[in-house]
């Protein structure tokens, strides 16, 4: 199953309707928890998600609305007796802050601290790129490589089975049979998480060609001065990002508490990204990954 579970959607100040940030991406057997703000542990209970689903915790930066939930989540993992490794990813400049939060958590022997300081791959299929905010910030991207789907009837007609299938995949042809004869391309899926940034090249790199793009949308276009001063994005800028990236589903979040209704922000983003599906996230929403593209890109 590949699904985004939204745990919280407010920026700086939570509201009656919006908890601080928190997003759990369920991706096959892994669970990527992004930016756990205050209350994330309880929001997971409301969402009916066990903490044991978490295999990676990814902090974009060490502002409190993206990280104060960390001690609660780690303590819950310990209380639940989670035995698998949980990797904690964060910008290395936030080391002292992160160690302080981990230090007040219940001990979790399987927790691995995995800081990063530059763009690149940090775990299997997981990469980061720098964003542009008031403290060092990195966005995340999960990329499944393109692959082939083998057609069983054609494989057996060609007399290929067992380990020869892997050999054909690696070598492209085997005993006069081409890979194209017995398989079709399968597009890998991709997901990006862009939080707390002004528009910047790193955001563009992460968002490029994604199936699902979660983007901060702190302000409406009318508040572009505030967005510029605090290094955030407006709805229109989030739409621009999705449009240039050809992102299929843009999920807007991290709203200023001034917006009780986000319809205007969705309209502003959608106007700039006419080919993308645009949605405003609400707490406890679930978004399935879009169906695979029919051919590899
Ligand atoms: Zn924030």
């Amino acid at each position: 199953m590949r699904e985004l579970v939204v745990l919280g959607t407010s920026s700086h100040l939570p509201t009656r309707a919006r908890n601080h940030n928190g997003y759990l991406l369920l991706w096959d057997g892994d669970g990527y928890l992004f930016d756990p703000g205050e209350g994330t542990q309880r929001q997971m209970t409301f969402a009916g998600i066990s903490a044991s689903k978490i295999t990676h915790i990814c902090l974009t930066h060490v502002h409190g609305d993206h990280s104060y939930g960390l001690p609660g989540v780690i303590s819950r993992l310990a209380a639940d007796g989670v035995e698998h490794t949980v990797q904690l990813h964060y910008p290395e400049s936030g080391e002292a802050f992160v160690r302080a939060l981990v230090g007040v958590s219940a001990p979790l022997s399987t927790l691995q601290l995995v800081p990063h300081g530059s763009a690149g791959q940090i775990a299997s299929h997981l990469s980061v790129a720098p964003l542009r905010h008031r403290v060092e910030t990195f966005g995340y991207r999960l990329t499944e490589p393109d692959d082939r789907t083998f057609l069983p009837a054609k494989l057996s007609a060609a007399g290929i089975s067992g380990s020869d299938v892997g050999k054909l995949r690696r070598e492209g042809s085997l005993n006069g049979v081409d890979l194209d004869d017995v398989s079709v391309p399968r597009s890998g899926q991709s997901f990006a998480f862009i939080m707390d940034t002004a528009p910047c090249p790193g955001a563009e790199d992460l968002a490029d060609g994604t199936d699902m793009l979660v983007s901060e949308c702190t302000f409406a276009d009318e508040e572009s001065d505030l967005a510029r001063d605090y290094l955030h994005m407006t709805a229109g800028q989030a739409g621009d990002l999705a449009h240039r990236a050809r992102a299929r589903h843009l999920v807007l979040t991290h709203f200023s508490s001034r917006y009780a209704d986000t319809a205007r922000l969705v309209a502003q983003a959608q106007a700039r990204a006419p080919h993308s599906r645009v949605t405003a996230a609400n707490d406890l929403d679930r978004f399935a990954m879009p169906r695979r593209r029919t051919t590899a890109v």
Side-chain angles (χ1 to χ4, degrees):
M1 180 177 58
R2 295 181 178 181
E3 179 183 49
L4 179 72
V5 181
V6 178
L7 301 169
T9 54
S10 79
S11 60
H12 188 48
L13 302 173
T15 69
R16 292 172 68 90
R18 297 188 186 278
N19 199 77
H20 269 146
N21 292 288
Y23 312 84
L24 181 65
L25 178 67
L26 299 173
W27 188 278
D28 304 336
D30 284 314
Y32 298 84
L33 177 65
F34 294 95
D35 283 0
E38 281 176 67
T40 295
Q41 179 184 182
R42 188 156 187 256
Q43 291 296 95
M44 290 185 66
T45 300
F46 282 129
I49 301 275
S50 161
S52 64
K53 296 279 188 194
I54 298 169
T55 57
H56 298 261
I57 303 173
C58 305
L59 306 185
T60 57
H61 64 300
V62 295
H63 280 161
D65 54 325
H66 299 257
S67 60
Y68 283 169
L70 192 58
V73 169
I74 293 173
S75 299
R76 181 56 178 269
L77 288 164
D80 288 355
V82 166
E83 294 180 348
H84 60 251
T85 299
V86 177
Q87 293 196 328
L88 173 57
H89 305 279
Y90 55 94
E92 63 186 8
S93 61
E95 183 79 24
F97 186 100
V98 169
R99 284 196 178 271
L101 292 178
V102 171
V104 296
S105 308
L108 179 65
S109 62
T110 60
L111 186 69
Q112 284 183 352
L113 272 54
V114 192
H116 48 261
S118 57
Q121 187 168 343
I122 58 167
S124 178
H125 300 171
L126 185 66
S127 59
V128 296
L131 300 177
R132 190 166 157 252
H133 196 45
R134 304 190 305 280
V135 298
E136 188 176 42
T137 302
F138 286 86
Y140 292 83
R141 178 183 173 115
L142 199 61
T143 307
E144 177 190 37
D146 292 336
D147 200 352
R148 309 285 304 187
T149 298
F150 283 97
L151 307 170
K154 296 208 168 178
L155 274 178
S156 70
I160 294 175
S161 62
S163 61
D164 281 348
V165 177
K167 197 169 179 194
L168 174 59
R169 182 200 295 271
R170 288 191 301 276
E171 298 181 2
S173 68
L174 185 69
N175 304 335
V177 176
D178 282 341
L179 194 54
D180 285 343
D181 298 336
V182 293
S183 69
V184 292
R186 190 187 76 166
S187 298
Q189 290 187 314
S190 55
F191 169 92
F193 186 80
I194 312 285
M195 208 54 55
D196 285 34
T197 184
C200 65
E204 309 245 343
D205 290 346
L206 293 166
D208 187 42
T210 43
D211 296 285
M212 185 182 291
L213 168 62
V214 177
S215 175
E216 76 129 295
C217 174
T218 312
F219 295 110
D221 289 354
E222 291 82 353
E223 277 77 50
S224 59
D225 289 355
L226 286 175
R228 190 189 58 233
D229 291 350
Y230 290 97
L231 297 178
H232 281 298
M233 282 200 279
T234 63
Q237 288 170 332
D240 282 341
L241 175 65
H243 186 62
R244 280 198 295 274
R246 295 168 291 106
R248 297 172 70 199
H249 185 186
L250 170 63
V251 177
L252 303 172
T253 184
H254 192 270
F255 303 111
S256 164
S257 57
R258 75 193 63 212
Y259 307 115
D261 180 357
T262 54
R264 177 161 52 105
L265 283 74
V266 171
Q268 291 173 347
Q270 185 75 75
R272 309 281 268 275
H275 306 302
S276 302
R277 177 185 172 202
V278 179
T279 312
N282 292 309
D283 289 19
L284 307 181
D285 277 349
R286 289 168 176 255
F287 298 111
M289 286 293 293
R291 292 177 66 84
R292 288 181 191 282
R293 296 171 203 259
T294 47
T295 54
V297 290

